[in-house]
């Protein structure tokens, strides 16, 4: 199907309202960047751009809930259900199309609690686009933003970081790099995504080496 300008504008309005109610590193700006990146990857992969557009716009709509309960909820699982309800309420797409969008959202998370992996080209593209926004200069900015929001230290040692807990004082940007971000290039599911991820990862690796030198 084709997503009309009016339908895309309505989904944008819904997502923007939800995400701006809880400003963070997963705000509307993040969604906008993921959408732009996903569409670029989707054109290269000749994927369904309507599914990519809808799933990218709605992929983080449950983030405010997960932030509020400090990770007790899974925004990917909850967001997939919310997306189905939103699309049905707005009468966008048929049942199969809506479930395709929902599954893209359900499997976009790196630390999946269900163990499910993206199973369609569109889901793989959303996964990669979301991860690319966690790498490079923007990835560093978001990691420090999140750490500051939760009251974590500016920097710590690898031992302190790895022994720390999520949402705790040791949950620094460096901890996020050590437990997740440095592994993202290997998790990319598209060739184009993998190339960009490797470039952005090197930038982060060099940054943390310099930061560690300055702090020691």
């Amino acid at each position: 199907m084709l997503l009309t300008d009016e339908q895309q504008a309505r989904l944008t309005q819904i997502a923007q309202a939800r995400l701006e109610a809880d400003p963070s590193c997963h705000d509307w700006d993040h969604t906008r960047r993921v959408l732009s990146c996903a569409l670029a990857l989707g054109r290269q992969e000749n994927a369904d751009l309507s599914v990519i557009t809808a799933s990218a716009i709605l992929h983080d709509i449950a983030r405010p809930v997960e932030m509020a309960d400090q990770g007790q909820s899974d925004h990917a699982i909850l967001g997939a259900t919310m997306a189905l309800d939103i699309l049905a309420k707005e009468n966008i797409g048929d049942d199969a199309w809506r479930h395709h969008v929902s599954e893209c959202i359900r499997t976009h998370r790196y630390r999946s609690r269900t163990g499910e992996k993206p199973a369609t080209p569109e889901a793989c593209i959303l996964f990669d686009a979301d991860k690319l926004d966690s790498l490079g200069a923007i990835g560093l900015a978001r990691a420090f933003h999140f750490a500051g929001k939760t009251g974590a230290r500016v920097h710590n040692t690898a031992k302190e970081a790895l022994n720390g807990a999520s949402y705790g004082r040791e949950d620094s940007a460096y901890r996020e790099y050590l437990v997740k971000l440095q592994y993202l290039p290997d998790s990319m599911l598209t060739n184009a995504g993998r190339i960009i991820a490797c470039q952005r990862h090197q930038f982060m690796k060099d940054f943390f080496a310099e930061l560690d030198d300055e702090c020691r």
Side-chain angles (χ1 to χ4, degrees), residues 14-194:
I14 292 170
Q16 196 166 6
R18 290 181 182 274
L19 296 171
E20 286 187 344
D22 185 49
S24 71
C25 56
H26 293 98
D27 58 8
W28 173 250
D29 286 339
H30 162 68
T31 291
R32 178 177 50 78
R33 291 190 302 269
V34 170
L35 173 60
S36 178
C37 182
L39 286 173
L41 294 176
R43 293 185 184 100
Q44 292 186 52
E45 300 290 330
N46 197 29
D48 186 330
L49 298 185
S50 69
V51 171
I52 289 173
T53 298
S55 61
I57 290 173
L58 298 176
H59 83 281
D60 263 354
I61 53 172
R63 268 288 182 180
V65 178
E66 185 173 303
M67 286 292 295
D69 64 20
Q70 295 192 328
Q72 295 301 307
S73 301
D74 186 320
H75 76 277
I77 296 173
L78 180 58
T81 300
M82 291 171 65
L84 277 178
D85 293 340
I86 291 169
L87 294 170
K89 182 178 180 181
E90 297 298 322
N91 195 30
I92 300 176
D94 58 19
D95 189 60
W97 184 89
R98 290 194 291 264
H99 276 85
H100 190 171
V101 171
S102 177
E103 284 307 301
C104 289
I105 295 171
R106 184 180 178 85
T107 59
H108 85 271
R109 188 174 187 176
Y110 175 73
R111 289 179 281 230
S112 172
R113 296 183 187 178
T114 65
E116 294 178 85
K117 301 294 183 182
T120 66
E122 293 74 22
C124 291
I125 287 167
L126 177 63
F127 180 93
D128 279 11
D130 186 52
K131 304 308 157 291
L132 287 173
D133 204 55
S134 296
L135 292 169
I138 187 61
L140 286 168
R142 292 179 64 219
F144 279 100
H145 187 292
F146 183 86
K149 185 177 178 66
T150 58
R153 298 171 67 186
V154 171
H155 190 54
N156 46 8
T157 66
K159 181 178 180 180
E160 290 167 336
L162 293 175
N163 286 333
S166 296
Y167 296 91
R169 179 163 165 73
E170 301 298 338
D171 195 8
S172 62
Y174 189 39
R175 181 178 186 273
E176 181 70 357
Y177 173 77
L178 291 173
V179 302
K180 173 186 175 182
L181 303 183
Q182 67 173 324
Y183 302 113
L184 290 184
D186 292 334
S187 73
M188 292 291 136
L189 302 174
T190 67
N191 290 331
R194 192 173 298 110

Side-chain angles (χ1 to χ4, degrees), residues 155 204-216:
H155 190 54
M204 300 186 88
K205 183 178 180 180
D206 294 342
F207 173 86
F208 279 116
E210 175 65 20
L211 178 62
D212 203 55
D213 285 345
E214 292 181 13
C215 289
R216 303 302 152 218

Side-chain angles (χ1 to χ4, degrees), residues 1-12 91-93:
M1 65 163 279
L2 292 176
L3 199 63
T4 68
D5 291 342
E6 290 77 13
Q7 289 171 331
Q8 182 171 338
R10 180 56 183 153
L11 292 181
T12 295
N91 195 30
I92 300 176

